Amino acid sequence: MFELPKLKYSYDALLPHIDAKTMEIHHTKHHAAYISALNDAITGTKSEGKSLEEIIKGENLSPAVRNNGGGHWNHSFFWEILTPNGGSVPSGPFAEELLKVFNNFENFKEEFEKAALARFGSGWVWLVKTQDGLMICSTPNQDNPLMKDVPIHGTPILGLDVWEHAYYLNYQNHRADYVKAFWNVVDWEEVGRRFSEAS
Ligand code: MN
């Protein structure tokens, strides 16, 4: 059975960019609910006992497994690429590749922000390592680029939750301000590590 992962920082650690109440509700209510619904959905099926990645990379996912398995993976990933000590810039092989594809860091951020604002309704925006190199994409609901039938398939190395539950308490309808604030809490070291480890 899947369990709610612990965060490596406190709920108020990302202030003022992400507020403590949002973090607490997002982790203990939203993320926990995906896990509990995922456990319910896989109990007694052939998915029971498989790893989360194996499950969401599978064929013909039921809506319950897709939404809640994706929800569990996406949130677990999201907590790990955030840090109270953010605000730096990428470095190493990841930075070299990023600059090759997007010319400069500011341009990359602009493209990512554009994708975040263009996502209608609920979903995620991603930086993905694909067969054809680094790409920005967005997915609806709790889909992600690991899933088989998404338009841009690959390994997510950066992701941002643009569901209203991720920002509404602090930013209300101002998604653009939340997306800009996100850059202050990105753990580029972790993103770079994921870039290097992705096949
Ligand atoms: Mn969320």
Side-chain angles (χ1 to χ4, degrees), residues 101-198:
V101 177
F102 296 100
N103 299 317
N104 61 65
F105 188 48
E106 287 308 311
N107 183 51
F108 159 70
K109 290 202 287 186
E110 252 172 59
E111 295 293 320
F112 191 92
E113 288 171 17
K114 246 189 258 168
L117 297 183
R119 168 50 51 196
F120 184 78
S122 297
W124 290 74
V125 54
W126 309 97
L127 178 64
V128 190
K129 191 172 179 184
T130 75
Q131 301 274 335
D132 305 314
L134 285 176
M135 295 177 87
I136 290 169
C137 70
S138 85
T139 53
N141 307 314
Q142 295 295 351
D143 285 3
N144 74 42
L146 293 170
M147 291 173 176
K148 274 212 159 54
D149 53 355
V150 290
I152 292 184
H153 183 73
T155 306
I157 60 168
L158 177 71
L160 176 60
D161 189 344
V162 295
W163 283 58
E164 283 188 344
H165 69 224
Y167 63 87
Y168 207 83
L169 289 182
N170 198 26
Y171 295 96
Q172 292 81 49
N173 56 317
H174 305 289
R175 186 189 285 186
D177 294 342
Y178 159 70
V179 175
K180 282 205 184 302
F182 168 65
W183 301 122
N184 296 301
V185 291
V186 173
D187 187 343
W188 289 114
E189 223 172 279
E190 175 66 17
V191 174
R193 194 184 63 72
R194 286 170 178 268
F195 170 80
S196 297
E197 285 180 0

Side-chain angles (χ1 to χ4, degrees), residues 11 14-20 22-23 78 82 166 170-171 178 185:
Y11 292 132
L14 306 179
L15 279 166
H17 312 293
I18 304 180
D19 67 282
T22 296
M23 285 300 296
F78 188 47
L82 298 179
N170 198 26
Y171 295 96
Y178 159 70
V185 291

Side-chain angles (χ1 to χ4, degrees), residues 7 11-12 19-31 79:
L7 304 191
Y11 292 132
D12 62 3
D19 67 282
K21 194 78 189 158
T22 296
M23 285 300 296
E24 183 181 354
I25 295 173
H26 204 173
H27 183 239
T28 65
K29 306 292 183 205
H30 292 279
H31 188 175
W79 311 135

Side-chain angles (χ1 to χ4, degrees), residues 30-43:
H30 292 279
H31 188 175
Y34 294 121
I35 295 170
S36 145
L38 174 64
N39 286 334
D40 287 348
I42 63 171
T43 300

